[in-house]
Amino acid sequence: MMRRLRFNGTGSGVNGCPAIHQDTGTGEIIVHGPPLTDPEDIAQLRHLGAGETAIVVPPELLVDFGPKEVQRVPDIISLAEFDRLFTQFEHTAWRLETRRRYASDEVTDTYRQFLAGSPVDWTGVDAAWCQERREQVALGKTFGRVRIIDQPPTPGQLYLLDNARRNSAVGEDIRSLQRGDAERLRLPAEDFWIFDSRLVALLGFDDDDQLVNVELITEPVAVNRYAQARDAAMHYAVPYQDAVARTGAAD
């Protein structure tokens, strides 16, 4: 379907280039102007895809003619796209876990072993996931988590303390933080992954504690807020072994 484009304005009163148009149906912005052509400049660009062209525009063009009031639409990605983030990031992947239970844990054999009081055998569990983690760590990448723990811990939180042995063995830095400390630090009551301090995957759960969607957040100010939460959590969290000793959970 043909777009319905509205001319917003141009930074050049003579030749009309560069300029901004807006699709009145979708709200998308179309910018045209001189392309970036110097190979050394182009080599510095990140995430420039095949068939994409970098356009050079003066900053005042965006200030003067860009949309002033834009309602952000959540960018919900598929679980397959979410999975790809764990191999596409460059340096660090870090998660905050805030929930008291995760429904997906409770359908596993390891959870049944844990509730029965038997030593959990993590051998061979999620072998493909473990192998992927090891491969990424071997590339020099780092994974970390801080898990919020209530006082007293819930069964799901105690299970994850036991699970931390498996995560740690494949190269993740697993730490724990008491709920009271998280509230004092005003950490968000949200589960999220942050990749390279550049983008956030916000995990959405329903009332039954099932993961239902993943929202991708790339807006720099919003990402920075999550990065600040990560830094505070990491400063006050303790290695999971300390939490195990404190709770009396089996190691």
Side-chain angles (χ1 to χ4, degrees):
M1 181 180 295
M2 184 178 68
R3 293 178 180 269
R4 299 186 62 180
L5 300 182
R6 179 186 67 213
F7 175 66
N8 280 15
T10 176
S12 173
V14 180
N15 58 23
C17 181
I20 287 181
H21 291 74
Q22 186 166 12
D23 187 322
T24 58
T26 66
E28 293 175 315
I29 304 300
I30 292 87
V31 177
H32 69 81
L36 188 69
T37 58
D38 189 304
E40 293 185 353
D41 293 339
I42 294 174
Q44 299 178 59
L45 299 178
R46 295 190 178 191
H47 312 294
L48 185 68
E52 295 180 341
T53 300
I55 303 299
V56 181
V57 299
E60 57 268 20
L61 178 71
L62 303 179
V63 173
D64 292 342
F65 301 111
K68 300 301 185 290
E69 296 182 2
V70 178
Q71 184 176 2
R72 184 180 179 277
V73 178
D75 182 8
I76 304 300
I77 62 175
S78 69
L79 294 183
E81 291 174 300
F82 176 52
D83 285 341
R84 285 196 289 271
L85 294 178
F86 292 93
T87 55
Q88 293 175 342
F89 77 99
E90 297 180 13
H91 310 294
T92 59
W94 185 90
R95 178 174 177 177
L96 180 67
E97 296 184 2
T98 66
R99 305 185 68 81
R100 292 174 171 85
R101 67 182 287 262
Y102 296 89
S104 59
D105 289 339
E106 298 176 3
V107 298
T108 62
D109 290 337
T110 51
Y111 192 82
R112 286 187 283 272
Q113 292 172 25
F114 179 79
L115 287 187
S118 303
V120 179
D121 182 8
W122 295 102
T123 305
V125 175
D126 294 331
W129 179 91
C130 292
Q131 180 61 28
E132 180 181 278
R133 281 292 192 272
R134 292 190 183 98
E135 290 173 352
Q136 296 301 306
V137 170
L139 294 173
K141 302 180 184 182
T142 62
F143 293 87
R145 303 178 195 238
V146 168
R147 288 170 167 158
I148 307 301
I149 298 180
D150 289 275
Q151 297 300 320
T154 67
Q157 291 167 351
L158 289 173
Y159 169 76
L160 288 176
L161 275 179
D162 195 280
N163 167 273
R165 293 185 290 134
R166 189 274 305 265
N167 289 53
S168 180
V170 298
E172 289 197 353
D173 177 12
I174 309 297
R175 305 189 187 195
S176 300
L177 184 69
Q178 293 188 20
R179 178 80 61 185
D181 290 332
E183 292 173 348
R184 176 177 58 82
L185 295 169
R186 298 183 180 180
L187 298 184
E190 299 171 315
D191 276 39
F192 64 89
W193 280 95
I194 182 168
F195 297 91
D196 296 332
S197 297
R198 184 179 64 83
L199 60 85
V200 169
L202 182 62
L203 309 184
F205 293 84
D206 63 16
D207 292 339
D208 192 37
D209 299 303
Q210 298 277 5
L211 178 66
V212 292
N213 60 50
V214 178
E215 178 184 352
L216 192 66
I217 299 174
T218 57
E219 197 277 315
V221 173
V223 171
N224 185 57
R225 286 196 293 267
Y226 287 102
Q228 290 177 17
R230 175 200 59 199
D231 292 347
M234 286 294 289
H235 183 76
Y236 290 97
V238 299
Y240 82 89
Q241 296 92 335
D242 293 358
V244 168
R246 185 167 55 241
T247 62
D251 195 354

